[in-house]
């Protein structure tokens, strides 16, 4: 039985490998470093490596990323991967850093912690020297535990829970969840946007809960009144009429949405058809709302504000990033793509600062030490890190006008 | 109580299953110890053991009791949270050698208690109704965990000591196999299969149907809880979203693929289903597509009568060798191994 199964499996894999060679030209293939796959049926590497910039001389720094490329949260993983891919390509085309070229390996984890650890170990087998942690928080926390033992630099683009960077080798690009809740409350209070606030949040999501809890605490300190808290879960995230009705009757002036763009798109269209006039204010999860809501419903996003470190039109660097990304992948980059892009440039900066080579025996220590010394002017703002691993960067609030994010100006 | 002759067949079969598992363990263990196993391989070992425990215990309800339950992940999550909370509380007080087995016991017992609680209403039903209700209970457990404070809510439970090792997980697999195989071959086990085959006839023979159904259900829940504890101590974060109905269905896939009522099949297919998505990592974007295709092919292959006949032959040979060694007449009827 096993023989037949093995034969069938091997056949499927060979077929698929050929299909992969033909179509998948954007993918950097795996290096032949390390040992073969557990089943032993797969050749270690194919020859058509698309990274043409790979030089004969000099060293290669292998960067490993993990994120959901399939499953419910695939858009985040794909965005980070593409952003990082673009940065790696740019750096290699510019000749790398001190003769060191970058190579990115990206593995799928389907947002699952166990899969993320498996992927991490596979990347270590393939010679990973710097880890991008994982895209989602839960997976990133699991990875942080393993990477601590290896002592390699772990720089997560988007793992926003506090514990993602609990160890000395952990750093992040994005805001932490608590930070965002506090910043949002501060912004609303300082600009006098509203005093009566309603919240719609995803009870089953760690990101949403984290922001919401800290927002509520901060709001209380700042004299804002939370008049209604409406929850939903990932099982009931398409129809929000009940929550919106409850809010309509609560006298709220502003609705806070610490959620992701997909649900927000439903909420905004449903609120528009219900004729609700409240201001909508969100966290960085609202990034990409225009794509999610579709061109026909753009009017529903008019006046929506959200906190984001990434404004596609903020400066020349961002405009170039946006147009390059659009040319390469046919989509407007969201914050996740910008995070992935910045993560690679942060690694580049750390590499330049430390002067380390991937073959050095104390490469990890040098890189981690360099992280607290560098300043990176990335697409998501100017960042500096302290030993805790959290970046200090300013949060900008953007307002959507005619489907385009514009900087907030007090009226 | 029974004649030895009658017992020999299942006993030999069980010994073969145990031997296969032990040989596999020995091979893998040597590979690991001599440094020939990649990290990727090593990281799959504990998950494989966990899935074997889950599959074998689910097989008790699905294969032997004949009731389709879709709430196995619910019991796993209850056990995982109970065991992990116990470990977190006891981390400073007890040494690992005592704490971890106790945690598994606690997790298993709490899951078994939930098995009783849920079993009382659920086991009044049969077939499709029972499947749907267990599915609902699994979801209820998950929702409750998300809404509780001490479980960490949606953010997940962190800080569990990383105690799960391959050797410990393997020992638990052995215990699970021995307990469940012995149960199935015992008087209780025959009562359970009798209920599956004909409930009315079984009742007429004086079998306490409610008791035996509850027994199978609760034992399955216990081992699911133990597997959950292993899972919780293998990763540094435990989030409720892992234990949704997809997890239950994945477990059911393992059991169905391995063959209902075949413990050896469950073990083999648990290994396959755990390793497959990881082995397919080389395929990048095509990975989940190929995984699904392979599943379909395996299911069709497994259900085909020709393949079953082939398997029967293989089984017959293996059995005959073992039996011949004991100079027994080869009475074993072919094909009667997996689909009894």
């Amino acid at each position: 039985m096993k023989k037949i199964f093995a034969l069938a499996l091997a056949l499927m894999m060979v077929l698929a490998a050929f299909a992969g060679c033909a179509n998948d030209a954007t993918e950097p293939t795996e290096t032949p470093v390390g040992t073969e796959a557990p089943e032993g049926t797969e050749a270690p590497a194919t020859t058509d490596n698309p990274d043409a910039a790979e030089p004969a001389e000099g060293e290669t720094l292998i960067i490993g990323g993990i994120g959901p490329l399939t499953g419910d949260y695939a858009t985040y993983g794909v965005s980070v991967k593409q952003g990082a891919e673009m940065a790696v390509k740019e750096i290699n085309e510019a000749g790398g850093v001190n003769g060191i070229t970058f190579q990115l390996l990206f593995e799928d984890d389907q947002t699952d912690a166990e899969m993320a650890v498996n992927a991490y170990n596979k990347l270590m087998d393939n010679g990973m020297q710097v880890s991008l942690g994982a895209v989602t928080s839960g997976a990133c926390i699991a990875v942080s535990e393993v990477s601590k033992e290896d002592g390699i630099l772990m720089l997560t683009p988007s793992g926003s829970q506090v514990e993602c960077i609990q160890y000395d080798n952990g750093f992040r690009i994005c805001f932490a969840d608590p930070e965002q809740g506090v910043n949002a409350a501060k912004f609303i209070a300082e600009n006098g946007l509203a005093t009566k606030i309603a919240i719609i949040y995803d009870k089953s999501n760690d990101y949403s809960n984290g922001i919401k809890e800290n927002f509520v605490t901060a709001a209380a300190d700042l004299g804002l009144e939370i008049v209604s808290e409406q929850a939903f879960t990932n099982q009931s995230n398409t129809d929000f009429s009940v929550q919106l009705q409850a809010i309509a009757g609560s006298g709220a002036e502003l609705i806070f949405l610490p959620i992701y763009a997909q649900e927000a798109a439903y909420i905004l269209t449903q609120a528009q058809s219900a004729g609700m006039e409240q201001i909508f204010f969100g966290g960085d999860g609202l990034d990409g709302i225009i794509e999610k809501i579709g061109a026909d419903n753009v009017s529903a996003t008019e006046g929506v504000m959200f906190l984001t470190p990434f404004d596609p039109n903020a400066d020349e660097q961002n405009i170039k990033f946006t147009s390059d990304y659009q040319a390469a992948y046919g989509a407007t980059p969201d914050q996740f793509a910008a995070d992935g892009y910045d993560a690679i440039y942060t690694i580049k900066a750390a590499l330049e600062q430390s002067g380390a080579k991937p073959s050095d025996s104390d490469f990890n220590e040098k890189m981690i030490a360099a992280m607290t010394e560098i300043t990176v002017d990335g697409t998501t703002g100017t960042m500096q890190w302290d030993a805790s691993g959290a970046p200090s960067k300013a949060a900008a609030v953007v307002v959507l006008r005619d489907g385009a994010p514009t900087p907030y100006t007090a009226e | 109580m029974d004649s030895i002759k009658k017992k020999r067949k299942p006993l030999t079969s069980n010994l073969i299953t145990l031997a296969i598992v032990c040989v596999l363990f020995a091979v893998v263990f040597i590979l690991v110890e001599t440094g020939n196993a990649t990290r990727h391989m090593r990281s799959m070992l504990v998950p494989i053991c966990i899935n074997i425990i889950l599959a074998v215990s689910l097989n008790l309800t699905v294969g032997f009791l004949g009731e389709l339950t879709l709430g196995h992940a619910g019991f796993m999550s209850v056990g995982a949270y109970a065991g992990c909370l116990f470990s977190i509380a006891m981390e400073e007080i007890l040494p690992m050698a005592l704490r971890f087995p106790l945690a598994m016991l606690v997790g298993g017992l709490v899951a078994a208690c939930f098995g009783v609680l849920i079993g009382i209403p659920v086991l009044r039903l049969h077939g499709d109704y029972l499947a749907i209700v267990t599915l609902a209970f699994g979801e209820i457990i998950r929702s409750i965990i998300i809404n509780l404070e001490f479980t960490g809510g949606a953010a997940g439970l962190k800080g569990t000591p990383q105690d799960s090792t391959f050797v410990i997980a393997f020992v638990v697999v052995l215990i699970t196999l021995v307990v469940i195989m012995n149960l199935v071959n015992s008087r209780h086990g025959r009562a359970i299969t009798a209920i599956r085959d004909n409930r009315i006839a079984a009742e007429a023979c004086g079998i306490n149907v409610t008791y035996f159904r509850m027994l199978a259900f609760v034992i399955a829940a216990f081992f699911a809880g133990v597997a959950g504890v292993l899972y919780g101590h293998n990763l540094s974060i435990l989030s409720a979203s892992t234990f949704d109905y997809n997890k239950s269905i994945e477990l059911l896939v393992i059991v169905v693929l391995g063959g209902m009522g075949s413990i050896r099949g469950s073990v083999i297919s648990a290994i396959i289903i755990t390793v497959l998505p990881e082995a397919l990592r080389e395929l990048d974007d095509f990975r989940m597509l190929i995984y699904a295709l392979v599943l379909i092919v395996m299911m069709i292959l497994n259900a085909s009568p020709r393949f079953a006949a082939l398997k029967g032959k293989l089984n017959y040979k293996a059995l005959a060798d073992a039996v011949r060694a004991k100079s027994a007449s080869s009475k074993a009827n072919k094909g009667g191994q997996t689909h009894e």
Side-chain angles (χ1 to χ4, degrees):
Chain A
M1 176 207 163
K2 263 189 157 178
K3 252 187 195 166
I4 290 177
F5 167 69
L7 215 78
L9 187 60
L11 209 73
M12 304 290 312
M13 287 171 115
V14 169
L15 274 176
F18 281 126
C21 291
N23 302 334
D24 206 14
T26 52
E27 209 82 28
T29 42
E30 311 269 353
T31 36
V33 186
T35 39
E36 55 182 16
E39 286 284 281
T41 41
E42 187 74 16
T46 46
T47 42
D48 62 337
N49 197 325
D51 276 344
E54 205 164 320
E57 84 290 342
E59 292 186 47
T60 307
L61 176 70
I62 299 175
I63 302 167
I66 301 163
L69 302 178
T70 55
D72 290 347
Y73 298 97
T75 76
Y76 309 125
V78 171
S79 284
V80 168
K81 182 183 171 211
Q82 290 176 345
E85 236 168 43
M86 218 173 87
V88 167
K89 215 174 146 207
E90 283 177 16
I91 292 169
N92 285 347
E93 276 168 4
V97 181
N98 306 330
I100 302 165
T101 47
F102 285 22
Q103 188 186 11
L104 177 72
L105 304 176
F106 209 96
E107 288 289 342
D108 183 17
D109 69 1
Q110 297 175 295
T111 335
D112 181 75
E114 191 175 284
M115 286 240 182
V117 172
N118 288 345
Y120 176 86
N121 282 314
K122 171 153 177 62
L123 289 168
M124 286 306 285
D125 284 338
N126 287 337
M128 170 169 67
Q129 285 143 323
V130 174
S131 169
L132 292 184
V135 168
T136 49
S137 287
C140 193
I141 293 169
V143 167
S144 79
E145 190 77 32
V146 201
S147 77
K148 172 192 68 169
E149 281 151 35
D150 293 314
I152 66 171
L153 171 63
M154 190 197 85
L155 176 66
T156 173
S158 52
S160 58
Q161 266 200 58
V162 179
E163 288 87 353
C164 288
I165 52 167
Q166 57 188 322
Y167 299 113
D168 290 344
N169 65 330
F171 294 86
R172 79 164 114 237
I173 298 287
C174 63
F175 290 121
D177 294 339
E179 237 178 302
Q180 271 209 56
V182 174
N183 284 342
K186 267 189 192 157
F187 188 87
I188 292 169
E190 280 166 12
N191 290 285
L193 293 177
T195 50
K196 292 184 170 178
I197 297 169
I199 304 174
I200 305 179
Y201 70 105
D202 184 349
K203 185 90 195 166
S204 60
N205 185 287
D206 54 345
Y207 164 82
S208 194
N209 271 306
I211 299 182
K212 178 237 155 196
E213 276 162 28
N214 289 283
F215 179 83
V216 171
T217 329
D221 295 342
L222 293 162
L224 303 172
E225 189 191 349
I226 309 289
V227 290
S228 174
E229 280 184 34
Q230 299 295 322
F232 65 94
T233 69
N234 55 0
Q235 311 286 317
S236 59
N237 56 0
T238 48
D239 183 9
F240 293 94
S241 49
V242 177
Q243 287 95 330
L244 288 169
Q245 258 169 24
I247 289 171
S250 71
E253 300 153 10
L254 182 145
I255 303 176
F256 183 55
L257 303 175
I259 54 176
Y260 285 130
Q262 183 63 60
E263 288 92 3
Y266 289 121
I267 292 177
L268 290 176
T269 43
Q270 285 164 23
Q272 189 190 32
S273 52
M276 291 176 74
E277 298 283 304
Q278 283 88 346
I279 306 168
F280 285 93
F281 193 101
D284 60 2
L286 248 56
D287 208 8
I289 181 92
I290 304 294
E291 277 74 43
K292 289 278 190 265
I293 208 163
D296 298 342
N297 295 320
V298 161
S299 61
T301 65
E302 190 63 25
V304 170
M305 298 178 194
F306 59 91
L307 205 64
T308 178
F310 175 62
D311 173 359
N313 304 312
D315 54 19
E316 263 176 45
Q317 185 192 11
N318 287 16
I319 292 168
K320 183 180 174 299
F321 167 68
T322 308
S323 65
D324 286 354
Y325 190 92
Q326 269 167 336
Y329 303 107
T332 313
D334 54 11
Q335 186 218 332
F336 285 88
D339 284 337
Y341 186 81
D342 281 359
I344 299 292
Y345 272 100
T346 305
I347 293 168
K348 176 176 179 264
L351 197 62
E352 281 166 349
Q353 172 74 24
S354 66
K357 281 193 163 24
S359 55
D360 289 351
S361 59
D362 57 349
F363 175 74
N364 297 331
E365 291 75 17
K366 277 186 184 166
M367 287 293 279
I368 291 166
M371 279 301 293
T372 53
E373 297 160 5
I374 54 174
T375 306
V376 177
D377 182 19
T379 54
T380 63
T382 306
M383 292 168 278
Q384 275 179 317
W385 286 264
D386 56 22
S388 77
S392 64
K393 60 178 171 184
V397 169
V398 295
V399 188
L400 293 174
R401 300 260 177 244
D402 297 325
T406 52
Y408 174 83
T409 44
E411 281 150 26
Chain B
M1 38 185 169
D2 281 296
S3 73
I4 296 169
K5 251 188 192 171
K6 263 189 184 172
K7 265 196 155 181
R8 186 171 287 151
K9 204 192 109 196
L11 192 67
T12 331
S13 167
N14 286 349
L15 284 178
I16 292 173
T17 306
L18 284 181
I20 291 175
V21 172
C22 287
V23 167
L24 273 179
F25 168 77
V27 170
V28 173
F29 189 73
I30 290 167
L31 275 178
V32 171
E33 287 298 300
T34 53
N36 282 320
T38 61
R39 287 186 57 152
H40 189 216
M41 269 174 88
R42 274 181 280 150
S43 65
M44 278 184 276
L45 296 177
V46 177
I48 287 174
C49 291
I50 293 168
N51 275 347
I52 290 177
I53 300 168
L54 288 166
V56 170
S57 60
L58 183 62
N59 208 341
L60 186 63
T61 39
V62 176
F64 293 100
L65 184 63
E67 293 292 5
L68 192 67
T69 62
L70 295 171
H72 217 51
F75 295 128
M76 182 186 173
S77 66
V78 168
Y81 274 95
C84 289
L85 287 169
F86 175 83
S87 279
I88 291 170
M90 292 292 153
E91 193 169 3
E92 306 295 323
I93 304 165
L94 295 173
M96 182 272 197
L98 190 64
R99 182 186 66 221
F100 195 34
L102 275 178
M104 281 193 262
L105 202 64
V106 168
L109 287 177
V110 173
C113 289
F114 271 76
V116 174
L117 279 179
I118 291 170
I120 293 168
V122 162
L123 289 176
R124 291 168 182 273
L125 305 168
H126 296 282
D128 311 349
Y129 301 101
L130 187 140
I132 307 264
V133 173
T134 49
L135 178 77
F137 267 111
E139 290 297 292
I140 290 172
I141 291 174
R142 197 170 61 88
S143 306
I144 291 175
I145 290 173
I146 283 178
N147 283 289
L148 286 177
E149 283 282 318
F150 65 89
T151 57
L157 184 66
K158 293 154 217 147
T160 312
Q162 308 278 289
D163 291 339
S164 290
T165 63
F166 178 44
V167 177
I168 296 176
F170 173 74
V171 170
V172 182
V173 167
L174 270 192
I175 295 173
T176 312
L177 283 175
V178 169
V179 168
I180 293 196
M181 286 192 305
N182 277 326
L183 173 79
V184 167
N185 291 329
S186 71
R187 193 160 167 249
H188 286 68
R190 284 194 299 279
I192 289 168
T193 40
I195 295 169
R196 174 193 66 189
D197 292 339
N198 194 328
R199 184 190 153 95
I200 295 167
E203 213 161 7
C205 290
I207 291 173
N208 185 346
V209 172
T210 313
Y211 168 77
F212 283 109
R213 291 180 84 204
M214 184 64 99
L215 182 79
F217 198 71
V218 169
I219 290 176
F222 176 85
F223 282 108
V226 173
V229 179
L230 276 171
Y231 177 89
H233 288 72
N234 189 36
L235 298 170
S236 54
I237 179 164
L238 189 64
S239 47
S241 56
T242 319
F243 306 104
D244 59 355
Y245 58 86
N246 286 323
K247 183 78 186 171
S248 295
I249 293 192
E250 191 192 317
L251 296 173
L252 197 65
V253 166
I254 296 178
V255 171
V256 174
L257 180 69
M260 303 251 203
S262 163
I263 287 177
R264 196 187 309 164
S266 288
V267 173
I268 294 171
S269 74
I271 298 173
I272 292 172
I273 296 286
T274 321
V275 171
L276 193 58
E278 294 297 326
L280 295 177
R281 274 196 184 278
E282 311 289 332
L283 304 178
D284 286 320
D285 293 355
F286 295 92
R287 180 166 147 254
M288 291 328 281
L289 179 74
I290 301 295
Y291 173 68
L293 278 178
V294 172
L295 258 190
I296 293 170
V297 169
M298 286 197 298
M299 284 294 179
I300 292 174
L301 199 68
N302 220 12
S304 85
R306 264 197 205 169
F307 188 67
L310 190 78
K311 261 198 314 188
K313 260 189 209 160
L314 287 176
N315 265 345
Y316 168 72
K317 234 185 211 171
L319 263 180
D321 284 345
V323 174
R324 212 172 289 145
K326 291 189 172 184
S327 75
S329 61
S330 52
K331 254 204 271 177
N333 48 340
K334 64 172 166 179
Q337 196 50 43
T338 45
H339 297 284
E340 49 194 67

